[in-house]
Amino acid sequence: MILSTAGLFIYKTNGVYLKKVYRNYVEATPKIYRAIASTEPYLKPHIKKYEVHGIDVSKHQGKINWDLVKHPDSGKKIDFVFIRATYGTYEDKLFDTNWVNAANKNFALGAYHYYWANTNSTLQANKFIETVELKKGDLPPVLDIEKLPKFQSKSNWLKGIKNWLNLIEMHYGLKPIIYTSDGFYKHHLKTDPFFTNYPRLWIANYNNIQQPDSNWHFWQYSDQVKIEGINENVDLNVFKNDSILFNELLKK
């Protein structure tokens, strides 16, 4: 669906590209944007029906006052927080602070790694292992895949992703979660049997009308929400099933 005003256009699609277009559009025409896209998607019936809710953060959210953090819908609570631990071969500079302070609020915690498509996958896995220590009650590790390689073949890129996932599973004894956009998963991962059989997906899809097409476990449905205690916009997520099945995911 294409929306336009004064020569400006939005193409509504899935994943990170939508995020970029929305941000540009908000800066150009904030009043019109508010009229056509709800800034409170968590109040919509198809979102409110989910029992388990959460957010994800990284250094891009800046210093967070975790004592103030709560779900923007007064009828819901934040059950889980995904925190970026590493990207490529670097540690997120606010990971330790976010991890400790969020743990003090008794959220279920998950650590994620932003995958660099052109960097050795073993080095990336080792950095994550060096950075993240999981304990009882934590969520499985997450691999964030958003970009295709520029300097290697797609087949080698896929080998690297599988290598990272296998190394992390061997170390933690937990099968990782894959994060990506609905469209990216369908075009670049789903056709490989390895990923077709992968049981845990966290899908980014900012379509506020219906849920993603993929067989998802977690759905990141918005990246444009203000939350008390956090200066920058925050991503909101839901878990597909109930709290009993959510607890079965946690490290024992």
Side-chain angles (χ1 to χ4, degrees):
M1 178 180 180
I2 298 177
L3 305 170
S4 66
T5 178
L8 296 170
F9 292 85
I10 287 183
Y11 180 71
K12 299 186 74 175
T13 185
N14 296 328
V16 177
Y17 181 66
L18 175 65
K19 181 191 302 186
K20 183 177 180 181
V21 173
Y22 267 6
R23 283 176 177 164
N24 290 343
Y25 192 86
V26 173
E27 292 171 1
T29 55
K31 292 183 179 179
I32 296 174
Y33 173 84
R34 286 195 292 269
I36 63 176
S38 172
T39 57
E40 298 180 335
Y42 48 84
L43 296 179
K44 295 188 175 182
H46 71 291
I47 296 296
K48 287 178 73 70
K49 71 177 182 179
Y50 292 105
E51 179 180 340
V52 182
H53 296 250
I55 63 173
D56 59 276
V57 299
S58 72
K59 69 177 183 180
H60 299 298
Q61 272 66 48
K63 187 175 181 180
I64 296 172
N65 185 341
W66 287 97
D67 289 330
L68 299 179
V69 172
K70 60 184 178 181
H71 200 287
D73 179 354
S74 59
K76 300 291 183 182
K77 65 184 180 71
I78 293 174
D79 301 287
F80 63 88
V81 180
F82 285 116
I83 301 173
R84 190 175 74 168
T86 51
Y87 55 102
T89 54
Y90 295 90
E91 179 180 346
D92 187 300
K93 67 179 182 180
L94 291 180
F95 171 68
D96 287 339
T97 298
N98 283 331
W99 191 264
V100 170
N101 291 335
N104 289 336
K105 302 303 292 182
N106 296 317
F107 301 125
L109 299 184
Y112 76 90
H113 172 77
Y114 182 87
Y115 192 78
W116 280 4
N118 299 292
T119 300
N120 181 276
S121 59
T122 298
L123 293 178
Q124 295 192 65
N126 288 342
K127 187 61 180 179
F128 186 87
I129 290 168
E130 172 190 314
T131 304
V132 178
E133 179 180 353
L134 296 181
K135 65 182 186 306
K136 181 180 178 181
D138 289 335
L139 285 156
V142 178
L143 181 60
D144 177 350
I145 310 168
E146 298 185 25
K147 293 186 178 181
L148 293 172
K150 292 182 178 179
F151 307 114
Q152 62 176 316
S153 67
K154 185 174 180 180
S155 62
N156 283 337
W157 171 72
L158 288 170
K159 286 179 183 178
I161 289 171
K162 294 172 188 178
N163 179 55
W164 191 99
L165 293 167
N166 288 331
L167 290 173
I168 295 301
E169 183 174 357
M170 284 190 293
H171 179 80
Y172 293 101
L174 295 169
K175 187 172 287 293
I177 296 166
I178 293 176
Y179 168 92
T180 190
S181 72
D182 212 6
F184 196 94
Y185 174 73
K186 286 185 287 188
H187 289 115
H188 305 297
L189 302 176
K190 187 177 181 179
T191 55
D192 188 309
F194 179 91
F195 299 103
T196 302
N197 297 323
Y198 221 82
R200 294 169 180 167
L201 286 176
W202 174 16
I203 293 295
N205 183 319
Y206 306 133
N207 178 346
N208 284 326
I209 305 220
Q210 62 188 24
Q211 65 183 23
D213 295 331
S214 305
N215 185 25
W216 57 279
H217 273 67
F218 293 90
W219 173 18
Q220 184 185 86
Y221 62 88
S222 179
D223 69 337
Q224 294 291 325
V225 176
K226 292 292 185 183
I227 288 184
E228 191 174 359
I230 305 178
N231 292 328
E232 301 296 328
N233 288 343
V234 181
D235 304 329
L236 288 187
N237 306 270
V238 291
F239 177 68
K240 191 173 189 176
N241 301 113
D242 60 23
S243 58
I244 295 174
L245 290 177
F246 177 78
N247 289 332
E248 289 182 2
L249 281 178
L250 306 180
K251 182 176 175 63
K252 303 300 186 282

